[in-house]
Amino acid sequence: MSEALPKHEELVQIRYDVPRNGWRSAHVDFRKGTYSYSAAPKNVQYLGMANPRHWRPTDKDWKLPPDWKQIILRGMKERLEKFRSFRLFMDICVRCGACADKCHFYLGSADPKNMPVLRAELVRSVYRRYFTASGRLFRGLAGGRELTEDVLKEWFYYFYQCTECRRCSVFCPFGIDTAEVTMIVRELLNLVGVNTNWVLEPAANCFRTGNHLGVQPHGFKDSIDFAVDELEELTGIRVEAPINKKGAEILFVVPSADYFATPHYYTLLGYLALFHEIGLDYTFSAYASEGGNFGLFNSHELMKRLNNKIYAEAKRLGVKWILGGECGHMWRVLHQYMDTMNGPADFLEEPVSPVTGTRFENARSTKMVHICELTADLIHNGKLKLDPSHNDHWRVTFHDSCNPARGMGLLEEPRYILRNVVNHFFEMPENTIREQTFCCGSGAGLGTDENIEMRLRGGLPRANAVKYVRDKHGVNLLTCICAIDKATLPTLLEYWTPGVEVGGVHELVANALVMKGEKDRTTDLRGEPFPAKEAAVHA
């Protein structure tokens, strides 16, 4: 691990003491490791956003526009009128505290302003001061706060310590969605050019080259071709992986990390093996080469623009429907915002599996099916030959990624797949999975190296649940269906729970898949020997 990481014994000491100062004090200590860097001017400018300039959160002067306060209040007024939910969430909270201990950042930091109820109060108090009659008359006596530069800095600090995971909303008796509040506040900060580079650079890259990493079309093709070559070495089978193929039945969209990072890459190999085995007529797109949508972490408008390019490519290529890979926020955007943002995709067909004939009625509007839905249906209908013993070197648990789980309701399909491709599967404690799943602590654009202390603090509850099954059942592989999770959980587990690897569901599918015409395979996709083969060699 990096020497820059805080000491384990220091970070684990969490004191839930009542702070000396009241919450109305807006002063923030921008301590190294607890915040993300500001956005580079070139990315702000490329996206056509406000106030591109060089600044740092630790600067005293953030170089705000002269009329920044009026801009923020005007933006808040517009959003109160446009989003009925925002005004409702500002009015109905009774501060019961049901959400307080549900946030992984509060559990890992003991900072009261990371309680969802108090984090929302940071903006609710400004709403109360300027947009309620009692606040305009009585100000602080009515719970209102003046909008000052310190308050703006406080917003930046704490609303970028929210991963928009929505765990708190599961427990709120009034259904307040704090993630929606976070999204609105980040939109308000954008109006005056207060944003983070870890969100805006991937978004700018996505418009420029089609994906978060800035991989250009020829680089994308090289990566896919390399995967095809490696899969042939492993299986003896040469698969096809078409790109920009017009008239294909299905457009397949993956997060860019699948073809440019590990352990994501093994998931990509899994897709390619599966699609070859079932003879799927599909195509990648060199422009819609990113399923992730960092607009979700920035603004409704940016989210809409990024989502639209997937459908624009589907129309250009003339496909019937869209299949999506193991990505997190792609699916929350599609299932919660698609219809109202981009409208029903009426130029596509309602998805039907070309192998089983199953009609995916849940995708009637979006025309987009999750890879786990397709694979679970294939297994259920007996279309795949599987040998789970190929995964016997793994003792597996499953992390419900927040957006597919709470945002999409994809709870059973990944588990059904895993129980058919592995012999050793163990669930984490029930209050840490499914709808109540703990976040990785690094979503919503917080997965930066400079933000490492808060990432580790926010991921502590998830790591504790992994530690439980590691110690009780010998679990050595945490699987998930989110690219951000696969990128950030290895660091989290190496720090808190050593000895547990991270992988994708379709990596294990391909390990267990017995392909027609394959050579005598001796290793899994990582090059690790199959247990039975290794035992035979030693015998």
Side-chain angles (χ1 to χ4, degrees):
M1 300 290 286
S2 169
E3 294 181 2
L5 293 179
K7 300 294 185 183
H8 184 283
E9 57 272 18
E10 296 174 2
L11 210 59
V12 79
Q13 298 298 322
I14 304 170
R15 296 178 59 86
Y16 296 95
D17 297 334
V18 177
R20 294 180 178 179
N21 298 324
W23 70 268
R24 289 175 177 275
S25 171
H27 174 72
V28 172
D29 178 17
F30 284 95
R31 185 166 45 82
K32 184 178 180 181
T34 64
Y35 64 91
S36 298
Y37 294 154
S38 50
K42 65 176 183 178
N43 296 319
V44 179
Q45 194 167 12
Y46 184 84
L47 292 169
M49 300 174 67
N51 198 19
R53 78 241 183 256
H54 291 285
W55 67 285
R56 293 179 301 178
T58 52
D59 293 340
K60 183 177 181 180
D61 181 7
W62 281 18
K63 303 176 184 176
L64 300 172
D67 58 341
W68 70 268
K69 183 174 179 179
Q70 288 71 30
I71 293 173
I72 293 288
L73 293 176
R74 186 164 58 246
M76 186 179 290
K77 180 177 183 295
E78 291 171 355
R79 284 155 182 78
L80 287 167
E81 294 171 352
K82 182 177 182 180
F83 301 109
R84 182 172 59 180
S85 59
F86 180 40
R87 183 177 290 275
L88 189 68
F89 296 157
M90 291 294 97
D91 286 334
I92 65 174
C93 178
V94 296
R95 299 156 192 80
C96 67
C99 63
D101 62 345
K102 308 307 185 295
C103 178
H104 46 282
F105 278 113
Y106 174 62
L107 292 175
S109 71
D111 186 337
K113 291 185 181 180
N114 272 325
M115 295 179 182
V117 57
L118 188 45
R119 188 188 292 116
E121 193 69 19
L122 303 181
V123 66
R124 188 177 287 117
S125 58
V126 174
Y127 159 77
R128 200 175 294 117
R129 161 64 182 86
Y130 294 96
F131 297 97
T132 68
S134 60
R136 286 191 293 267
L137 287 172
F138 301 109
R139 303 194 177 193
L141 293 175
R145 281 199 308 170
E146 299 292 331
L147 179 58
T148 64
E149 286 195 28
D150 280 345
V151 168
L152 195 75
K153 292 178 180 181
E154 181 186 51
W155 284 5
F156 174 80
Y157 187 75
Y158 286 103
F159 284 99
Y160 278 96
Q161 285 181 26
C162 170
T163 52
E164 302 178 15
C165 81
R166 302 170 68 244
R167 189 174 194 264
C168 53
S169 67
V170 173
F171 297 90
C172 177
F174 294 95
I176 295 173
D177 190 341
T178 304
E180 295 280 352
V181 178
T182 293
M183 291 166 65
I184 293 292
V185 175
R186 290 189 183 184
E187 282 196 18
L188 296 176
L189 292 171
N190 283 329
L191 296 177
V192 293
V194 176
N195 27 49
T196 68
N197 202 58
W198 192 245
V199 172
L200 291 198
E201 183 165 338
N205 286 341
C206 211
F207 283 118
R208 186 181 296 111
T209 67
N211 54 77
H212 290 161
L213 299 173
V215 178
Q216 297 185 22
H218 61 279
F220 172 69
K221 183 180 186 303
D222 286 346
S223 296
I224 298 298
D225 288 346
F226 183 86
V228 169
D229 291 341
E230 183 155 3
L231 190 61
E232 183 177 18
E233 289 184 15
L234 291 166
T235 66
I237 296 175
R238 185 76 179 178
V239 307
E240 291 187 10
I243 300 173
N244 296 342
K245 174 186 172 184
K246 289 194 173 183
E249 183 172 1
I250 295 165
L251 170 63
F252 183 48
V253 181
V254 298
S256 53
D258 280 0
Y259 52 85
F260 217 74
T262 55
H264 315 67
Y265 177 70
Y266 307 119
T267 302
L268 173 65
L269 295 179
Y271 301 147
L272 298 179
L274 175 66
F275 294 165
H276 174 85
E277 186 63 17
I278 64 176
L280 193 68
D281 180 18
Y282 77 101
T283 183
F284 288 101
S285 163
Y287 181 62
S289 54
E290 179 64 71
N293 190 326
F294 271 35
L296 179 64
F297 314 148
N298 184 275
S299 71
H300 291 83
E301 180 58 30
L302 189 56
M303 186 198 323
K304 175 181 178 178
R305 290 165 59 191
L306 288 169
N307 188 62
N308 184 64
K309 73 184 184 64
I310 295 175
Y311 287 89
E313 276 295 88
K315 179 179 286 188
R316 185 183 73 85
L317 295 172
V319 301
K320 293 181 179 179
W321 53 278
I322 308 170
L323 182 67
E326 293 186 10
C327 180
H329 41 292
M330 168 168 69
W331 291 103
R332 184 175 174 207
V333 171
L334 282 162
H335 281 260
Q336 295 196 331
Y337 300 106
M338 169 64 187
D339 282 349
T340 52
M341 286 195 314
N342 300 97
D346 295 335
F347 59 91
L348 297 174
E349 298 180 9
E350 182 178 336
V352 177
S353 171
V355 181
T356 67
T358 296
R359 186 173 296 275
F360 295 100
E361 296 182 357
N362 60 303
R364 182 178 297 152
S365 176
T366 65
K367 310 297 193 296
M368 192 161 178
V369 173
H370 194 287
I371 184 69
C372 283
E373 296 175 300
L374 178 75
T375 304
D377 176 63
L378 291 169
I379 295 173
H380 177 72
N381 286 283
K383 299 299 182 181
L384 301 178
K385 185 178 180 181
L386 301 168
D387 184 352
S389 70
H390 287 176
N391 286 311
D392 278 354
H393 53 310
W394 294 121
R395 298 178 69 81
V396 181
T397 191
F398 180 68
H399 163 64
D400 290 276
S401 303
C402 302
N403 289 308
R406 275 189 288 267
M408 185 185 177
L410 196 71
L411 305 172
E412 298 304 328
E413 290 86 347
R415 289 175 167 82
Y416 180 79
I417 295 170
L418 288 171
R419 290 191 174 101
N420 279 276
V421 301
V422 303
N423 288 320
H424 309 295
F425 176 70
F426 307 93
E427 291 277 22
M428 287 180 278
E430 62 180 357
N431 64 330
T432 72
I433 60 173
R434 299 180 183 269
E435 294 92 341
Q436 297 185 38
T437 184
F438 274 115
C439 180
C440 67
S442 302
L446 307 190
T448 63
D449 289 341
E450 69 264 23
N451 193 41
I452 189 64
E453 180 181 327
M454 289 313 301
R455 284 175 54 192
L456 294 175
R457 288 186 180 279
L460 176 58
R462 167 48 74 220
N464 275 340
V466 176
K467 183 178 184 299
Y468 174 83
V469 289
R470 183 201 67 179
D471 294 348
K472 184 174 182 179
H473 302 294
V475 162
N476 59 4
L477 183 68
L478 174 67
T479 55
C480 55
I481 53 174
C482 172
I484 287 180
D485 287 336
K486 291 172 192 171
T488 61
L489 284 170
T491 299
L492 180 76
L493 298 185
E494 185 182 349
Y495 186 85
W496 291 117
T497 317
V500 182
E501 302 291 327
V502 177
V505 168
H506 280 79
E507 173 189 345
L508 300 185
V509 170
N511 285 347
L513 185 64
V514 180
M515 302 175 69
K516 293 184 289 289
E518 70 177 14
K519 69 178 185 181
D520 185 21
R521 293 168 61 190
T522 58
T523 69
D524 66 9
L525 297 184
R526 301 189 182 204
E528 296 295 326
F530 286 145
K533 304 288 185 181
E534 189 175 31
V537 170
H538 289 305

